[in-house]
Amino acid sequence: MNKQEFAHRRKHLMQLMGDSGVAILPAAPMRLRNRDSEYHYRPDSDFYYLTGFPEPEAVAVLIPGRKHGEYVLFCRERNPDMETWTGKMAGQEGAVADYGADDSFPIDDIDDILPGMLENKQRVYYTMGTHPDFDQRLIGWVNSLRKQSRAGIHTPGEFVSLDHLLHDMRLIKSGKEIKAMQTAARISARAHCAAMQACKPGMKEYEIEATLMHSFMQQGARFPAYNSIVGGGANGCTLHYTDNNAVLKDGDLLLIDAGAEYEYYASDITRTFPVNGKYSTAQRAVYELVLEAQHAAIEQVRPGKHWNEPHEAAVEVLTDGLLKLGILKGTKKTAIKNESYKPYYMHRTGHWLGMDVHDVGDYKVADEWRVFEPGMVLTVEPGLYLPATHKRLAKKWWNIGIRIEDDVLVTKTGCEVLTSGVPKSPDDVEALMAG
Ligand code: GLY
Ligand code: MN
Ligand code: MN
């Protein structure tokens, strides 16, 4: 993303806020992995979406109508000693020159400067609860203003969650965002192909994870968008399995749910394939059912359809199929009504996708399912999970866990599957593995 994109986002948000509001966004804190060793720093998506600023210990303030500049960034002062250890810092000069701030102050001076920016404003846009320490500081600044009311200082009377405005903006992707997401999707699709080609019985799940990570990085994506799920056999029935340390067995399926993050945008792909390169009859029967459900769900993604329609389509196909396979009994109508499919399909058919893998954006508006609009991106990911621990499940189905997940962009006329670069028909998967 270039500077103009971030500037455009800030301008748009300030137009929505109006001159009587101030928005405050703190950067996420660093997190420790052990003692004094930190996790790699990844800015909070809301903060980064508006600033493009990659450092911790920063606070962005948007003050529409402020004479000396509407965008103020508090950040760390440059510190040559610290730069020797951890690299270059932007400092106040860099915040203005490289990151488009109109004005920048040292983060250590925020207690003295920020309260004045709230004076005589009516509304503070801020997301409570994400950074509890910062919540307390903000309350302190507001209280300090209240004490000055006799001096004629007016304290903001309304605290409004920033989410409504900002997350609605993030939900509809711009051309540049779509490009980044297409790249993330392409990188991940290639990595899944590499994983299919590398897989052999006897390998450890994490060896396949290594293939994925190697492929992501080789293609310019340094990090995965979330912890990769690489689950063989019964592990494929654990929805968010991330131990990834079991041996892959001949005759088992392998479920991989992994996606690269590229320029802060996520991709999210699941494929399920046979460890030995050939689906068994039972595995293929369940696989084809999940695939049919996924096709039916993707059919429902287009402007005018609502959020729940893909899920409803998937549930209908899966329920019908479970009845035909003899896993469920009764009629389709009652099985759907009673949610009899839920022991085997217990999650939703997708989620919004963007800078966060489970991205922001409301799924309902005024209690009605949200209607699809061009620029929205979502996943479509039906599955079926048949662990051996399930009572009354015939042995031939034991430990079949299957999910098929693609990333889908809503276009003006329908949708575009961004992750079509990795095969999903069982014949195509087998052909790739054999090749
Ligand atoms: N990887 C998490 C999900 O598919 O939602
Ligand atoms: Mn996933
Ligand atoms: Mn997903």
Side-chain angles (χ1 to χ4, degrees), residues 41-255:
Y41 184 69
R42 201 283 195 182
D44 168 82
S45 297
D46 278 346
F47 177 84
Y48 193 86
Y49 177 84
L50 290 172
T51 64
F53 192 68
E55 295 181 20
E57 296 183 65
V59 176
V61 188
L62 300 180
I63 315 154
R66 180 174 177 262
K67 277 206 203 72
H68 305 297
E70 298 181 312
Y71 169 34
V72 177
L73 186 60
F74 291 89
C75 62
R76 302 177 301 190
E77 284 185 273
R78 288 190 64 190
N79 174 340
D81 287 342
M82 197 167 157
E83 288 186 279
T84 304
W85 288 90
T86 49
K88 200 171 169 315
M89 300 157 83
Q92 285 62 59
E93 220 169 278
V96 173
D98 302 329
Y99 295 99
D102 296 317
D103 221 349
S104 177
F105 300 100
I107 188 74
D108 291 338
D109 295 348
I110 194 166
D111 288 330
D112 299 328
I113 298 171
L114 196 131
M117 293 172 170
L118 306 179
E119 267 179 41
N120 303 324
K121 290 282 184 183
Q122 282 169 17
R123 222 169 305 118
V124 176
Y125 288 90
Y126 173 74
T127 304
M128 283 276 176
T130 309
H131 305 298
D133 293 348
F134 197 85
D135 295 353
Q136 291 307 316
R137 294 185 72 187
L138 181 58
I139 291 165
W141 294 324
V142 172
N143 280 338
S144 73
L145 279 185
R146 280 206 187 107
K147 287 191 189 127
Q148 299 175 58
S149 62
R150 269 167 292 181
I153 289 173
H154 166 80
T155 313
E158 289 175 57
F159 276 77
V160 183
S161 171
L162 186 58
D163 296 8
H164 301 299
L165 300 180
L166 186 55
H167 292 179
D168 243 35
M169 284 172 62
R170 281 180 55 192
L171 178 57
I172 310 289
K173 274 68 181 173
S174 70
K176 288 197 174 68
E177 291 182 287
I178 290 168
K179 265 200 142 130
M181 293 192 74
Q182 284 167 330
T183 306
R186 197 168 50 240
I187 290 170
S188 303
R190 285 206 195 109
H192 274 261
C193 290
M196 285 180 189
Q197 289 173 307
C199 184
K200 298 277 174 302
M203 290 174 84
K204 286 278 185 73
E205 291 164 343
Y206 57 67
E207 291 179 70
I208 301 299
E209 184 181 8
T211 302
L212 293 162
M213 293 307 119
H214 182 259
S215 179
F216 288 172
M217 287 196 189
Q218 287 282 334
Q219 298 180 77
R222 171 89 194 278
F223 295 103
Y226 54 93
N227 292 329
S228 303
I229 296 165
V230 184
N235 297 333
C237 296
T238 300
L239 300 178
H240 282 175
Y241 171 81
T242 51
D243 288 348
N244 299 357
N245 57 5
V247 174
L248 295 166
K249 291 201 207 86
D250 199 343
D252 276 354
L253 289 173
L254 174 57
L255 184 153

Side-chain angles (χ1 to χ4, degrees), residues 257 268 351 357-358 379 381 405:
D257 184 342
D268 183 6
H351 48 83
V357 62
H358 295 158
T379 66
E381 50 177 308
E405 173 173 33

